[in-house]
Amino acid sequence: DVAGKGISAALLMASIQAIVRTQLAAPSERNLSAAALVAQLNRQLYANTSPEKYATFFFGLYDEDARLLPYTNAGHLQPLVIRETGTELLEVTGTVVGAFPAMRYEEQTVRLGPGDLLVAYTDGITEPENAYGEEFGAERVAEVVKRNQTCESHEIVTKIMEAVRQWSAAEELPDDMTVVLALGL
């Protein structure tokens, strides 16, 4: 999720995508960790953008055979893992990318079992307020996902978007609304 709006924010997002794709395609970087990739992204953004340009960033490298997701969360909202046994919030392991030159980022690992759902989202999902000034929040995101867990991923995303719009007192929501779902196999 990038800071700002409009063309400058779109250009920052395009830069982030290009940097990550380049790092993932580099033959010498095949064993790159999520934390190392995010640290390199941070250094490149800091060196090539103005100080007010930064982004929150969640990045993971899923190992399908081991069902493990090593991840680094650079100041982004905590993604949820929805399991039959409950909901887990994934830790923030570092600060935003692009704002400070030499940040260290930690890496955590989460197991995604069959049927587990990873839900990542932007603040455009959690921050809309109802008529009483109460934010939609991550708990309501989790409730919507749990109620619709047997649906297809695109249907769950649609249900989340609908719930946020119904919750909000605003006629038009001012922020981008992004949700990414990943199903453990």
Side-chain angles (χ1 to χ4, degrees), residues 62 64 67 112-116 183-185:
Y62 186 62
E64 190 174 338
R67 295 188 172 141
L112 295 176
D116 292 348
L183 177 64
L185 301 175

Side-chain angles (χ1 to χ4, degrees), residues 29 35 83 108 116 121 139 145 151 167:
E29 301 295 332
R83 308 178 194 281
Q108 297 288 325
D116 292 348
Y121 44 87
E139 299 81 20
V145 173
C151 296
W167 176 263

Side-chain angles (χ1 to χ4, degrees), residues 3-5 8-9 12 45-46 49-55 97-99:
K5 301 203 181 310
S8 65
L12 179 59
L45 284 177
Y46 182 83
T49 59
S50 57
E52 71 277 359
K53 300 297 179 198
Y54 62 90
V97 292

Side-chain angles (χ1 to χ4, degrees), residues 80-88 111-119 142 145-150 182-185:
L80 305 166
V81 176
I82 309 290
R83 308 178 194 281
E84 281 186 27
T85 57
T87 301
E88 177 182 350
R111 179 173 298 282
L112 295 176
D116 292 348
L117 271 172
L118 172 69
V119 186
V145 173
K146 288 176 189 174
R147 278 196 310 269
N148 297 285
Q149 213 165 352
T150 59
L183 177 64
L185 301 175

Side-chain angles (χ1 to χ4, degrees), residues 11 14-15 17 20 31 36 39 46 65 70 85 97-98 106 110 113 122 127 150 158-159 175-176 181:
L11 289 172
S15 294
Q17 289 177 356
V20 170
N31 294 321
Y46 182 83
D65 294 331
T85 57
V97 292
E106 299 297 321
V110 64
T122 60
E127 290 181 357
T150 59
T158 299
K159 298 278 188 188
D175 205 355
D176 65 289
L181 292 178

